[in-house]
């Protein structure tokens, strides 16, 4: 891929003193709705006004977007508010219409990024465009697929590129709608430090009251911007009702976020420190999550042991586990003393869980 200046150029040229903000409703619903939200966002930090025109719905029978008609409303937004506009494109026909209506920023949705054929079709339709094109991560946590989409666009001579991190699908229910898997975004940043990366806390959380925290983590990890779904009446939105915030709440979120200013002489140090601390917080949460899962499995073993009437403590198996973990730990730079201490504590917690089950 291209060098530093080329990749970041479009973002640097905006000369922002805050992270890039893309906001607006999940879906364009009516002309009045689109314009009302736009006017409420007009004199705020919002740089690009988003509205989904074609909605990729996982199951049929839901609101699938107003279609090309909505592009006229986005043109009105630009004329009346001066805000630039953004929408999702998912095939060559969408691209043609969006370009005809002068949409300024196009993004490829998570359900499209998974398909190299679709991405190639979009890249071909966009060939040589000077519009900004952002690629959402694929629904599955596959970095190669995400990068592959960027490469297809770069090969199609598209210069103003970036990515949107919107989290990943999981079979298991978590507190997120789409698990952030931050380490994947961090790996992408490490590989392409100059590729602008925008966080989409709306689709990651699925819940409006979690948006602030995810946004702050993203900024601590040096993300370049945020895409936040915004609606004047979130609860009655035609799609993604539970994750949209009002323009008023969006303004408050932007005000409360801790944003690092480049002019601070300590900026580099603080930025690196916050980035590393954010990474540690993420891993700590994962550790607690995993320990919770381990104890659930231990509980189930407790139930089995109770049925069979066998003892909680099985020393032979326990010694095998310890031996293996000490070796694993060594290969990761962890001392034998630490691994033993940690696993003894974990084991004790498992025993407590099982005893509770067996003895009622
Ligand atoms: C959206 O931004 O409204 C959208 C459909 O997002 P995603 O592709 O992340 O699901
Ligand atoms: Mn949405």
């Amino acid at each position: 891929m291209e060098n530093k200046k080329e990749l970041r150029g479009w973002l640097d040229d905006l000369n922002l003193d805050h992270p890039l903000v893309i906001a607006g409703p999940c879906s364009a619903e009516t002309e009045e709705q689109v314009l009302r939200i736009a006017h409420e966002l007009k004199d705020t930090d919002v740089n690009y006004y988003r509205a989904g025109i074609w909605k990729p719905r996982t199951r049929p029978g839901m609101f699938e977007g107003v279609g090309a008609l909505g592009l006229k409303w986005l043109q009105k937004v630009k004329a009346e508010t001066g805000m630039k506009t953004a929408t999702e494109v998912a095939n060559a026909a969408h691209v043609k219409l969006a370009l005809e209506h002068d949409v300024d920023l196009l993004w490829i949705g998570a359900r499209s990024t998974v398909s190299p054929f679709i991405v190639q079709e979009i890249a071909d339709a966009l060939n040589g465009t000077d519009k900004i094109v952002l690629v959402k991560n694929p629904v599955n946590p596959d970095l190669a697929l995400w990068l592959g989409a960027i490469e297809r666009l770069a090969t199609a001579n598209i210069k103003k590129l970036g990515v949107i991190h919107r989290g990943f699908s999981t079979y298991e229910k978590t507190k997120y709608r789409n698990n952030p898997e931050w380490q994947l975004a961090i790996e992408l940043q490490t590989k392409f430090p100059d590729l602008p990366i925008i966080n989409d806390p709306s689709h990651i959380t699925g819940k409006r009251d979690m948006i602030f925290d995810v946004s702050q983590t993203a900024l601590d990890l040096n993300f370049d911007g945020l895409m936040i779904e915004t609606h004047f009446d979130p609860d009655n939105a035609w799609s993604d009702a539970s994750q949209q915030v009002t323009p008023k709440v969006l303004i408050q979120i932007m005000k409360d976020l801790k944003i690092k200013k480049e002019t601070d002489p300590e900026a580099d140090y603080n930025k690196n420190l916050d980035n590393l601390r954010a990474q540690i917080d993420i891993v700590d949460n994962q550790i607690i999550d995993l320990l919770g899962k381990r104890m659930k499995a231990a509980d189930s073993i407790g139930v089995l042991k109770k049925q069979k009437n066998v003892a909680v403590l099985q020393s032979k198996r326990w010694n095998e586990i310890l031996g293996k973990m000490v070796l694993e730990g060594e290969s990761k730079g962890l001392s034998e003393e630490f691994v033993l201490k940690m696993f003894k504590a974990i084991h004790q917690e498992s025993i407590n869980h099982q005893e509770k089950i067996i003895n009622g």
Side-chain angles (χ1 to χ4, degrees), residues 304-323:
L304 287 178
K305 284 180 180 167
K306 184 174 183 170
Q307 285 164 2
K308 276 270 175 201
N309 210 6
V310 294
V312 166
L313 191 63
Q314 313 257 303
S315 321
K316 183 164 162 274
R317 161 143 173 90
W318 172 235
N319 285 328
E320 278 169 17
I321 295 181
L322 268 189

Side-chain angles (χ1 to χ4, degrees), residues 26 50 55-56 88 107 109-111 136 166 203 229:
C26 177
R50 66 153 281 160
K55 299 305 298 177
E88 171 176 350
W107 80 82
R111 291 166 196 75
K136 286 206 174 192
R166 53 77 82 191
H203 290 90
E229 288 187 340

Side-chain angles (χ1 to χ4, degrees), residues 25-27 50 55 136 177 202-203 229 239-240 243-244:
C26 177
S27 304
R50 66 153 281 160
K55 299 305 298 177
K136 286 206 174 192
R177 177 179 179 196
S202 308
H203 290 90
E229 288 187 340
S239 58
D240 288 352
Q243 70 192 31
Q244 304 206 52

Side-chain angles (χ1 to χ4, degrees), residues 77-179:
V77 166
K78 202 173 351 190
E80 288 185 19
T81 70
M83 264 189 292
K84 296 218 163 71
T85 55
T87 201
E88 171 176 350
V89 288
N91 60 39
H94 294 169
V95 169
K96 186 165 176 285
L97 283 163
L99 293 180
E100 279 169 11
H101 289 81
D102 204 28
V103 176
D104 302 289
L105 181 157
L106 312 179
W107 80 82
I108 297 180
R111 291 166 196 75
S112 302
T113 310
V114 291
S115 166
F117 287 133
I118 278 293
V119 172
Q120 192 58 52
E121 176 183 322
I122 295 171
D124 292 340
L126 280 167
N127 199 305
T129 186
D130 65 348
K131 303 290 186 190
I132 297 162
V133 183
L134 304 182
V135 182
K136 286 206 174 192
N137 66 254
V139 283
N140 55 323
D142 185 338
L143 186 56
L145 212 42
W146 200 0
L147 289 173
I150 287 286
E151 282 160 358
R152 285 176 201 278
L153 294 167
T155 304
N157 220 4
I158 299 161
K159 303 277 188 229
K160 301 178 181 172
L161 289 173
V163 295
I164 303 174
H165 170 232
R166 53 77 82 191
F168 303 87
S169 250
T170 49
Y171 171 66
E172 207 186 335
K173 291 267 161 287
T174 72
K175 66 176 175 173
Y176 299 103
R177 177 179 179 196
N178 291 293
N179 202 329

Side-chain angles (χ1 to χ4, degrees), residues 42-300:
K42 188 178 154 200
D43 296 311
T44 67
D45 282 351
V46 176
N47 306 107
Y48 285 84
Y49 183 78
R50 66 153 281 160
I53 299 293
W54 301 280
K55 299 305 298 177
R57 307 313 297 268
T58 302
R59 312 264 317 254
M62 320 261 260
F63 174 59
E64 300 207 318
V66 292
L69 174 65
L71 294 169
K72 300 253 186 284
W73 308 339
L74 285 181
Q75 278 183 307
K76 272 202 174 172
V77 166
K78 202 173 351 190
E80 288 185 19
T81 70
M83 264 189 292
K84 296 218 163 71
T85 55
T87 201
E88 171 176 350
V89 288
N91 60 39
H94 294 169
V95 169
K96 186 165 176 285
L97 283 163
L99 293 180
E100 279 169 11
H101 289 81
D102 204 28
V103 176
D104 302 289
L105 181 157
L106 312 179
W107 80 82
I108 297 180
R111 291 166 196 75
S112 302
T113 310
V114 291
S115 166
F117 287 133
I118 278 293
V119 172
Q120 192 58 52
E121 176 183 322
I122 295 171
D124 292 340
L126 280 167
N127 199 305
T129 186
D130 65 348
K131 303 290 186 190
I132 297 162
V133 183
L134 304 182
V135 182
K136 286 206 174 192
N137 66 254
V139 283
N140 55 323
D142 185 338
L143 186 56
L145 212 42
W146 200 0
L147 289 173
I150 287 286
E151 282 160 358
R152 285 176 201 278
L153 294 167
T155 304
N157 220 4
I158 299 161
K159 303 277 188 229
K160 301 178 181 172
L161 289 173
V163 295
I164 303 174
H165 170 232
R166 53 77 82 191
F168 303 87
S169 250
T170 49
Y171 171 66
E172 207 186 335
K173 291 267 161 287
T174 72
K175 66 176 175 173
Y176 299 103
R177 177 179 179 196
N178 291 293
N179 202 329
E181 308 279 12
W182 292 103
Q183 60 283 7
L184 217 136
I186 292 167
E187 195 180 331
L188 182 134
Q189 279 177 305
T190 313
K191 281 202 168 112
F192 298 98
D194 303 307
L195 184 65
I197 180 165
I198 312 298
N199 184 258
D200 173 349
S202 308
H203 290 90
I204 287 178
T205 64
K207 281 185 220 75
R208 63 180 71 94
D209 60 350
M210 290 168 69
I211 285 176
F212 179 83
D213 284 349
V214 167
S215 302
Q216 187 63 65
T217 299
L219 295 187
D220 290 342
L221 290 170
N222 299 334
F223 276 59
D224 299 289
L226 299 166
M227 181 194 252
I228 300 184
E229 288 187 340
T230 313
H231 193 296
F232 59 79
D233 184 9
D235 284 331
N236 290 305
W238 297 4
S239 58
D240 288 352
S242 54
Q243 70 192 31
Q244 304 206 52
V245 296
T246 60
K248 205 173 141 205
V249 168
L250 178 76
I251 291 163
Q252 194 59 44
I253 288 174
M254 294 314 299
K255 220 162 133 189
D256 293 344
L257 283 171
K258 213 173 96 221
I259 297 162
K260 272 140 267 141
K261 294 266 185 304
E262 292 295 344
T263 44
D264 178 356
E266 296 268 277
D268 252 6
Y269 166 80
N270 286 328
K271 232 172 143 172
N272 288 336
L273 193 66
D274 284 347
N275 185 321
L276 293 168
R277 283 186 172 151
Q279 293 190 40
I280 284 182
D281 289 349
I282 289 161
V283 175
D284 283 348
N285 274 311
Q286 289 169 337
I287 291 173
I288 289 288
D289 227 50
L290 288 174
L291 286 173
K293 275 187 198 143
R294 192 189 193 283
M295 291 312 151
K296 272 222 175 85
D299 286 345
S300 303

